[in-house]
C-alpha cells in the first residue's frame, strides 16, 4: 500500500525518472545475456502455435559479471525459444545451477530453483508477457527457508488507441 501511495503521489518528472531507470536496468541485463552465455541450436518446436528455434544457453566460464543482475547470469542455465518469423523470444526456461544472493545477503536463491516465462504476440505487432512460473527455494538471512511456487498469467491485452493516454493521472485518480 505504501508503494502504491508513493506511485500515486509522484510527479510526471519523478515517474519519467523511475521509468528511465527501469529501462536502463532492463537494457543492461539484455546487453549482458549474449556475453554471459554460449548458445547452441538444439532444434525446432512449435510453441503456442508459433514455429520456434530452440537454443540451449550455458553460462560462459570466462564471463565477468557487470551490472546489477550480471552475477546471477553465470549461475543459471536453460533454454530459449525464438520465434522463426520475427526472432522475438517466445519462451525462456532457466534453472539455477549455483546458489546466488540477492540484495546484499538478504536472500540466497538455491540450486534447482526454476523460472519459466512465456510471451504472446499481441495484434501481430508486439510481444507481451503471457505466463510466468516460478518454483524456487531460498534462504532469508541464511536462517529462514522460503519456498515459492507461483504461476502468474496475463491476458486480454488491447492496444491503446491513437491519441489516448495510457499513463495514470495520480491527481485526478484516472487510470
Amino acid at each position: 500500500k505504501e508503494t502504491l501511495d508513493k506511485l500515486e503521489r509522484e510527479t510526471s518528472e519523478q515517474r519519467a525518472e523511475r521509468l528511465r531507470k527501469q529501462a536502463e536496468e532492463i537494457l543492461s541485463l539484455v546487453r549482458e545475456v549474449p556475453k554471459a552465455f554460449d548458445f547452441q541450436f538444439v532444434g525446432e518446436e512449435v510453441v503456442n502455435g508459433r514455429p520456434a528455434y530452440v537454443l540451449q544457453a550455458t553460462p560462459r566460464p570466462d564471463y565477468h559479471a557487470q551490472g546489477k543482475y550480471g552475477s546471477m547470469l553465470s549461475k543459471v542455465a536453460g533454454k530459449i525459444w525464438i520465434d522463426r518469423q520475427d526472432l522475438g523470444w517466445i519462451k525462456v526456461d532457466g534453472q539455477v545451477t549455483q546458489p546466488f544472493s540477492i540484495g546484499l545477503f538478504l536472500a540466497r536463491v538455491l540450486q534447482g530453483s526454476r523460472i519459466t516465462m512465456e510471451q504472446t504476440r499481441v495484434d501481430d505487432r508486439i510481444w507481451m508477457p503471457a505466463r510466468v512460473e516460478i518454483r524456487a527455494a531460498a534462504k532469508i538471512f541464511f536462517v529462514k527457508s522460503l519456498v515459492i511456487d507461483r504461476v502468474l498469467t496475463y491476458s486480454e491485452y488491447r492496444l491503446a488507441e491513437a491519441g489516448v493516454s495510457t499513463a495514470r493521472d495520480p491527481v485526478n485518480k484516472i487510470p
Side-chain angles (χ1 to χ4, degrees):
K1 184 171 176 5
E2 184 178 314
T3 301
L4 288 175
D5 289 343
K6 182 179 176 184
L7 289 174
E8 284 184 343
R9 288 190 309 269
E10 74 182 356
T11 65
S12 58
E13 292 83 14
Q14 290 169 327
R15 180 177 188 274
E17 180 63 15
R18 177 177 52 83
L19 293 175
R20 185 191 63 74
K21 285 180 181 179
Q22 287 176 347
E24 281 179 11
E25 287 178 3
I26 291 168
L27 186 57
S28 171
L29 178 62
V30 168
R31 287 183 176 145
E32 286 299 301
V33 168
K35 299 174 193 173
F37 295 99
D38 284 321
F39 293 96
Q40 180 180 9
F41 177 78
V42 293
E44 296 184 28
E45 293 179 16
V46 175
V47 180
N48 299 329
R50 296 190 67 97
Y53 301 114
V54 184
L55 304 176
Q56 179 68 44
T58 307
R60 290 185 179 181
D62 61 342
Y63 171 66
H64 298 291
Q66 294 184 2
K68 185 175 180 179
Y69 302 105
S71 62
M72 291 187 306
L73 296 177
S74 63
K75 296 172 174 79
V76 176
K79 288 184 180 179
I80 184 168
W81 287 257
I82 305 293
D83 185 83
R84 278 189 13 201
Q85 181 179 344
D86 69 4
L87 304 179
W89 68 269
I90 300 174
K91 180 178 175 180
V92 174
D93 182 24
Q95 183 170 349
V96 175
T97 57
Q98 298 175 38
F100 61 84
S101 294
I102 297 176
L104 290 176
F105 310 109
L106 292 179
R108 186 155 182 83
V109 180
L110 303 179
Q111 184 174 348
S113 296
R114 173 174 234 108
I115 184 167
T116 302
M117 298 181 291
E118 295 180 25
Q119 294 196 117
T120 187
R121 191 99 160 118
V122 176
D123 199 31
D124 211 24
R125 293 182 6 196
I126 59 173
W127 288 98
M128 297 296 291
R131 186 172 194 275
V132 177
E133 183 174 341
I134 302 167
R135 299 192 187 291
K139 287 275 190 185
I140 310 295
F141 292 114
F142 299 105
V143 178
K144 182 173 173 53
S145 294
L146 175 66
V147 175
I148 301 168
D149 190 359
R150 289 267 163 95
V151 176
L152 306 170
T153 57
Y154 305 87
S155 62
E156 299 182 33
Y157 287 109
R158 292 172 300 213
L159 293 177
E161 297 175 25
V164 176
S165 172
T166 58
R168 294 185 62 210
D169 180 345
V171 175
N172 298 309
K173 306 286 191 254
I174 298 172

